[in-house]
C-alpha cells in the first residue's frame, strides 16, 4: 500500500521486476554494473564490498519503515527492484522502463525451497525425504498459486502482456536464455537502459568484463557474498543464500517426474494463447 501511494519513479529510473528466485540478484548485478560502468574500475568496484542487493535495494525495503522515503534525492537514473505483481504495481510505475526476468517455474520452485529452508535455519541441502521444509506440501501450494507476490504464472503473464502493449517500456528476459548467451542479453539490457556499449567499449572487452564480474562463479567467491549471518526474525536472509548453484535444470535432482509434468502442464495451460512459449529447462552441464 505504501508503494502504491508513494512510489513515484522518474521516467529515467529503471525498475527490475522478478518473481522471487528467478535471477533477481544476477539482474541487479548486471544492470548496476552496466549503468555505473564509467564510475568504477574493476579493481575498485562496489561489488567487492557490497552485495548486489545492497547496490540495488528492493522497493519493499525502502517502504518498510514508518517514514516515507524521498526517493527524489537519489541520483537519476536509479535502479529499483521489486517482486510486485503487475496487478499491484502503481500505474505511475509504468512511466519508467521495466526489465522483467522469469525462469522455468520448476527451477524457481526448487530454488525457493532451498532459500526458505536455509533462511529458516534448516539444512542447506534437502530432499523430500529429509527434514526441513515439506517439499510436497510446498509443491502443492506453489502449483495452486499460493506464493509470495501471487501465483507465479499471473506474475509472468501480467508483465508479458504489458511488454506486448509497450515493448519500448518493458524488456522481457528469461533466465535460461541469459545463461545461454549472457553477452547478447547484456547488450540489449544496456541499450534498453539508455547506455548502449560504444564501439570502443566493445573492442576493449567491457561487455565480457561485466558478464564476468557478475557471473555466479565470480560473485559467489566475493567475501561479502559468502556471509552466513542473517535471521528470519530480522527479515534478513544471509547473503550467501542468494548464491546456491546458479544452474539450469537443477529441478531434476529434487522433483519427481510426476511433479515436473504437473508444473509443465500448468505452465503450458496458463500461457496458452498468450504468445509466450515455454520450453522446459534441461540440465546444462
Ligand atoms: N550471478 C548469478 N548468475 C546466475 N544465477 C545466479 C546468480 N546469482 C544468483 N543466482 C541464482 O539465482 C537464484 C536466486 O534467485 P534471486 O536472485 O531471484 O533471489 S531473490 O528473489 O532475490 O531472493 C539462485 O538460484 P539457485 O542456485 O537455482 O537456487 C541463485 O543461485
Amino acid at each position: 500500500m505504501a508503494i502504491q501511494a508513494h512510489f513515484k519513479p522518474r521516467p529515467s529510473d529503471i525498475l527490475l521486476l522478478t518473481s522471487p528466485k528467478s535471477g533477481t540478484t544476477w539482474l541487479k548485478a548486471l544492470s548496476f554494473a552496466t549503468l555505473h560502468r564509467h564510475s568504477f574500475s574493476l579493481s575498485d568496484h562496489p561489488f567487492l564490498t557490497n552485495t548486489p542487493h545492497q547496490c540495488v535495494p528492493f522497493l519493499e525495503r525502502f517502504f518498510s519503515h514508518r517514514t516515507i522515503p524521498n526517493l527524489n534525492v537519489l541520483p537519476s537514473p536509479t535502479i529499483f527492484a521489486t517482486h510486485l505483481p503487475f496487478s499491484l504495481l502503481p500505474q505511475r510505475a509504468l512511466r519508467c522502463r521495466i526489465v522483467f526476468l522469469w525462469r522455468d517455474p520448476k527451477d524457481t520452485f526448487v530454488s525457493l525451497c532451498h532459500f526458505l529452508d536455509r533462511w529458516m535455519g534448516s539444512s542447506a541441502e534437502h530432499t523430500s525425504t529429509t527434514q526441513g521444509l515439506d517439499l510436497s506440501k510446498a509443491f502443492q501450494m506453489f502449483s495452486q498459486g499460493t506464493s509470495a507476490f501471487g501465483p507465479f504464472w499471473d506474475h509472468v503473464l501480467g508483465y508479458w502482456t504489458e511488454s506486448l502493449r509497450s515493448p519500448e517500456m518493458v524488456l522481457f528476459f528469461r533466465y535460461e536464455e541469459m545463461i545461454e548467451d549472457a553477452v547478447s542479453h547484456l547488450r540489449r539490457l544496456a541499450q534498453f537502459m539508455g547506455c548502449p556499449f560504444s564501439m570502443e567499449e566493445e573492442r576493449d572487452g567491457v561487455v565480457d568484463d561485466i558478464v564476468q564480474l557478475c557471473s555466479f562463479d565470480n560473485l559467489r567467491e566475493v567475501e561479502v557474498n559468502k556471509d552466513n549471518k542473517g535471521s528470519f526474525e530480522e527479515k534478513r536472509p544471509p547473503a550467501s543464500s542468494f548464491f546456491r548453484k546458479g544452474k539450469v535444470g537443477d529441478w531434476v535432482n529434487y522433483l519427481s517426474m510426476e511433479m515436473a509434468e504437473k508444473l509443465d502442464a500448468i505452465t503450458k495451460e496458463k500461457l496458452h494463447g498468450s504468445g509466450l512459449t515455454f520450453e522446459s529447462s534441461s540440465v546444462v552441464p
Side-chain angles (χ1 to χ4, degrees):
M1 287 165 68
I3 291 174
Q4 284 188 335
H6 302 288
F7 177 50
K8 297 181 179 131
R10 299 154 297 191
S12 60
D13 292 334
I14 313 280
L15 193 51
L16 309 181
L17 244 310
T18 52
S19 254
K21 304 299 144 197
S22 298
T24 323
T25 313
W26 190 18
L27 185 61
K28 283 182 173 188
L30 288 169
S31 49
F32 182 90
T34 301
L35 189 66
H36 299 293
R37 65 188 184 272
H38 303 301
S39 311
F40 308 110
S41 69
L42 289 178
S43 58
D44 183 29
H45 201 275
F47 288 170
L48 295 173
T49 45
N50 298 273
T51 71
H53 292 285
Q54 287 167 327
C55 294
V56 182
F58 282 110
L59 266 188
E60 290 82 339
R61 282 231 175 261
F62 277 113
F63 286 92
S64 63
H65 308 288
R66 273 178 190 277
T67 43
I68 303 301
N70 177 10
L71 301 182
N72 283 324
V73 298
L74 295 173
S76 168
T78 288
I79 306 172
F80 297 104
T82 179
H83 292 318
L84 278 184
F86 187 73
S87 57
L88 293 183
L89 196 73
Q91 276 288 314
R92 277 188 310 273
L94 300 180
R95 70 164 87 138
C96 70
R97 279 156 296 171
I98 293 177
V99 185
F100 184 80
L101 172 62
W102 73 299
R103 185 182 189 185
D104 186 319
K106 302 191 292 305
D107 282 335
T108 306
F109 170 72
V110 165
S111 180
L112 181 65
C113 286
H114 280 93
F115 175 76
L116 290 177
D117 210 19
R118 176 79 204 290
W119 189 15
M120 290 161 131
S122 316
S123 63
E125 287 283 320
H126 75 91
T127 67
S128 55
T129 53
T130 64
Q131 58 168 338
L133 200 91
D134 183 336
L135 192 74
S136 52
K137 188 158 172 228
F139 180 83
Q140 201 180 353
M141 291 173 74
F142 184 86
S143 43
Q144 286 170 351
T146 307
S147 299
F149 303 97
F152 175 89
W153 300 273
D154 290 3
H155 207 274
V156 176
L157 282 172
Y159 290 100
W160 169 248
T161 308
E162 186 58 19
S163 79
L164 292 179
R165 209 179 64 84
S166 291
E168 69 292 350
M169 297 305 279
V170 184
L171 183 66
F172 206 81
F173 277 173
R174 189 169 156 183
Y175 181 88
E176 292 78 10
E177 291 170 356
M178 280 175 62
I179 291 272
E180 213 172 283
D181 186 358
V183 166
S184 68
H185 280 78
L186 185 58
R187 285 196 188 110
R188 285 177 61 200
L189 180 65
Q191 177 89 36
F192 181 77
M193 292 198 301
C195 52
F197 293 105
S198 65
M199 299 272 271
E200 288 79 17
E201 286 180 308
E202 288 280 356
R203 195 194 52 218
D204 295 345
V206 174
V207 188
D208 293 319
D209 284 349
I210 293 179
V211 166
Q212 167 59 22
L213 172 73
C214 301
S215 69
F216 178 83
D217 289 341
N218 184 59
L219 287 181
R220 189 184 48 168
E221 291 308 316
V222 179
E223 217 47 52
V224 69
N225 294 324
K226 286 185 180 175
D227 192 2
N228 284 319
K229 289 193 290 295
S231 86
F232 199 69
E233 292 68 34
E234 291 168 50
K235 300 188 179 152
R236 202 163 59 84
S240 60
S241 65
F242 292 97
F243 301 89
R244 191 182 63 94
K245 284 189 186 172
K247 292 255 178 266
V248 168
D250 187 44
W251 59 267
V252 83
N253 298 311
Y254 299 94
L255 302 186
S256 66
M257 267 307 140
E258 195 182 308
M259 286 166 142
E261 281 167 13
K262 182 167 176 187
L263 274 195
D264 284 352
I266 297 174
T267 305
K268 284 187 181 140
E269 186 201 317
K270 296 274 185 191
L271 301 191
H272 181 73
S274 70
L276 182 59
T277 50
F278 169 72
E279 266 187 48
S280 171
S281 67
S282 49
V283 187
V284 174

